Amino acid sequence: MSMMVRIILSILIVFSIVRFLRYAWPVRSLTYIEVREVRELADQSLDMKMLDVRDAVDYQKESIRGSINISLGRLPYVWQHCLSPEDSVLILADSYYKRNKAARILYKQGFRKLYAVNGDLLGNKRTLSDIPVKGCCEG
């Protein structure tokens, strides 16, 4: 193998490791909570919103009442239509990666009260749907 191929291969390996660590690393201001703690959190925080970052197709198939759907790809561009950095935001996603990515995006925009539910999102659908939260355009 030539020296140039080894260098390029080494760079790709290092890049892949850094990228993996970035997505696996814990996110500042993101707190994981149990589903039974969500109601208590919503009662304490008058400005809590549930943000579902799944794709619109998945959201339409099965969603949690009261949640706001902004897909992960659109989140950096349209978050301000429904969210404010003063809001407490419960991030709903179908994967650890998507929860962390959404939290990183919101953290960069000034959000500091970010939460995510441990465990299966749709398995906890009934419990989460019973929690009173603000919708998109409610004051």
Side-chain angles (χ1 to χ4, degrees), residues 19-35:
R19 185 176 172 147
F20 170 77
L21 289 175
R22 182 170 181 257
Y23 292 121
W25 203 259
V27 181
R28 246 181 297 186
S29 292
L30 178 62
T31 304
Y32 281 91
I33 58 176
E34 298 300 323
V35 71

Side-chain angles (χ1 to χ4, degrees), residues 67-117:
S67 64
I68 301 163
N69 179 239
I70 304 174
S71 63
L72 196 54
R74 295 178 33 159
L75 186 59
Y77 309 103
V78 299
W79 65 266
Q80 64 274 22
H81 294 293
C82 295
L83 302 172
S84 167
E86 291 80 36
D87 294 334
S88 294
V89 179
L90 178 65
I91 299 171
L92 306 173
D94 52 5
S95 74
Y96 178 79
Y97 164 78
K98 288 181 181 179
R99 279 188 291 254
N100 279 356
K101 179 77 173 171
R104 279 191 181 84
I105 291 168
L106 294 174
Y107 185 82
K108 286 181 184 176
Q109 300 301 328
F111 288 80
R112 296 302 181 258
K113 296 179 277 185
L114 300 171
Y115 302 91
V117 175

